[in-house]
Amino acid sequence: VKSDIPRLSATERMILDLLAEREMFGLQLVEESKGDLKRGTVYVTLGRMQEKGYVESWVEAQAAGAIGLPRRLYRPTAYGLSVLEAWAVAARTLKRRPRLQHA
Amino acid sequence: MMPGRLLHRLASFLIPADVRERVLDAQLADFQYEMSHLSGCADRRLALMRGYAAYWCALVLCVPAMARMAVATLRSWTLDRSILVVGVTIATMLLWAGSLSWVRTGSVQWAEAFGAVSTAPMWPMLVSMLVIRYCSRRRGVFGRLLVSAVAVLPTMFLVKALGQLRPGDARFEPWANALAIMMFISLASRVDPARHKR
């Protein structure tokens, strides 16, 4: 059954957690995650999150005479943060569930 | 020289613009930034290897996104465009098979066309797709067909003359077809649907 509830994978949660602190580049996210995020996949995940509306990005302004491609900065959207908050609440609620007593 | 320039060009040919800008260009930009801020030879070598590995990984992961876009684009094609592409494909296959049999036996055997559809690499068809895309400013089905035919025929003979990617050559066939399918997806997804709406 396809539900309309927004999904948030563990990687997406980690990225939103990191971006909630400050806006970052993709490579910074990899470094800040201490190896949990990989260089090869983080940009694809960020692209997917952007499609879902969880993060927004913009290209950094380059100084005159700078060579190379301009870097892309990411920050969470209000929607992304509310999804993260909702998942955190759900996780806390489900954690509190009492264990079943077996007879 | 800044690393990744060739990869950037490759991506701009293969990958739809929005996916490329969001994913691959972002990765390459960080890779170039990292390279420009490293001084040690060993560090630079390590960063280079990691950067290239990450790029190819990201490129492979972009394929589903490309496929999604291709499907969305194909859905938005107009009837005349669909007829044109299917027609050019069939005509190319028939010409390909016919010309091959003519080279071998001196007579055209159209029955070979059915085999060619399933086995021949689709390079001439891709050329026609490319031509249709870049000549889409030319109005009218016949104008585009004419341009495609003019582009396809020399390509067919060139490919055949090189003798590398011919039907039945088991060494190249799977690779050629896989690459051709990727290029087809890429070309199909690069067409701007708004431009072709009537």
Side-chain angles (χ1 to χ4, degrees):
Chain A
V1 180
K2 196 177 179 183
S3 77
D4 291 333
I5 300 169
R7 285 161 180 252
L8 198 64
S9 69
T11 312
E12 289 173 342
R13 245 185 344 259
M14 188 187 297
I15 289 173
L16 278 176
D17 266 333
L18 289 167
L19 289 177
E21 294 167 18
R22 64 188 164 98
E23 57 199 37
M24 286 190 217
F25 298 105
L27 196 60
Q28 275 180 306
L29 283 165
V30 174
E31 286 161 1
E32 296 281 325
S33 72
K34 296 180 177 68
D36 288 335
L37 295 172
K38 306 291 176 203
R39 285 162 190 254
T41 53
V42 72
Y43 299 95
V44 181
T45 311
L46 283 164
R48 195 175 59 230
M49 288 173 76
Q50 210 173 330
E51 262 177 38
K52 290 180 181 177
Y54 295 167
V55 297
E56 56 191 358
S57 72
W58 67 100
V59 170
E60 184 192 44
Q62 272 191 311
I67 50 167
L69 293 166
R71 299 179 81 194
R72 191 169 277 271
L73 268 162
Y74 299 89
R75 73 170 164 220
T77 59
Y79 174 64
L81 289 175
S82 62
V83 171
L84 179 66
E85 180 57 29
W87 273 88
V89 169
R92 278 199 299 271
T93 309
L94 292 170
K95 241 183 192 174
R96 264 192 253 123
R97 186 181 153 211
R99 282 186 184 175
L100 291 172
Q101 299 290 322
H102 294 285
Chain B
M1 195 178 109
M2 194 59 80
R5 284 172 66 185
L6 195 66
L7 293 179
H8 178 62
R9 281 188 199 160
L10 175 75
S12 54
F13 180 70
L14 281 176
I15 312 285
D18 63 334
V19 178
R20 190 191 73 231
E21 282 167 14
R22 266 205 322 254
V23 179
L24 295 173
D25 284 1
Q27 196 266 329
L28 275 180
D30 281 352
F31 172 39
Q32 289 177 340
Y33 173 84
E34 189 185 24
M35 287 299 293
S36 65
H37 284 76
L38 287 173
S39 52
C41 190
D43 288 345
R44 281 178 69 84
R45 251 184 231 156
L46 184 66
L48 202 67
M49 281 195 299
R50 286 158 82 184
Y52 281 132
Y55 177 85
W56 288 109
C57 182
L59 189 73
V60 169
L61 290 172
C62 280
V63 171
M66 284 162 59
R68 270 202 307 275
M69 284 193 67
V71 169
T73 310
L74 289 172
R75 277 184 191 155
S76 71
W77 274 11
T78 53
L79 184 64
D80 70 329
R81 191 178 172 77
S82 309
I83 291 170
L84 179 67
V85 170
V86 172
V88 168
T89 306
I90 292 169
T92 307
M93 291 302 182
L94 288 171
L95 281 170
W96 177 280
S99 61
L100 274 177
S101 61
W102 180 75
V103 167
R104 281 205 299 266
T105 63
S107 63
V108 176
Q109 291 170 8
W110 296 111
E112 284 194 10
F114 297 105
V117 169
S118 60
T119 60
M122 292 176 280
W123 294 105
M125 186 196 77
L126 289 168
V127 173
S128 72
M129 289 287 297
L130 198 69
V131 171
I132 288 168
R133 173 174 151 66
Y134 287 107
C135 295
S136 54
R137 282 181 192 165
R138 285 180 71 96
R139 294 287 173 195
V141 172
F142 290 108
R144 289 186 211 165
L145 259 178
L146 184 69
V147 173
S148 300
V150 168
V152 166
L153 286 171
T155 313
M156 268 173 45
F157 286 109
L158 180 70
V159 171
K160 203 167 60 183
L162 289 172
Q164 289 180 336
L165 298 172
R166 59 179 187 272
D169 192 329
R171 285 175 302 163
F172 294 106
E173 232 173 64
W175 296 102
N177 281 326
L179 198 60
I181 288 163
M182 273 192 71
M183 283 176 70
F184 177 81
I185 290 169
S186 162
L187 286 171
S189 60
R190 277 166 64 104
V191 176
D192 177 10
R195 214 162 119 187
H196 299 284
K197 275 183 184 166
R198 289 276 166 88

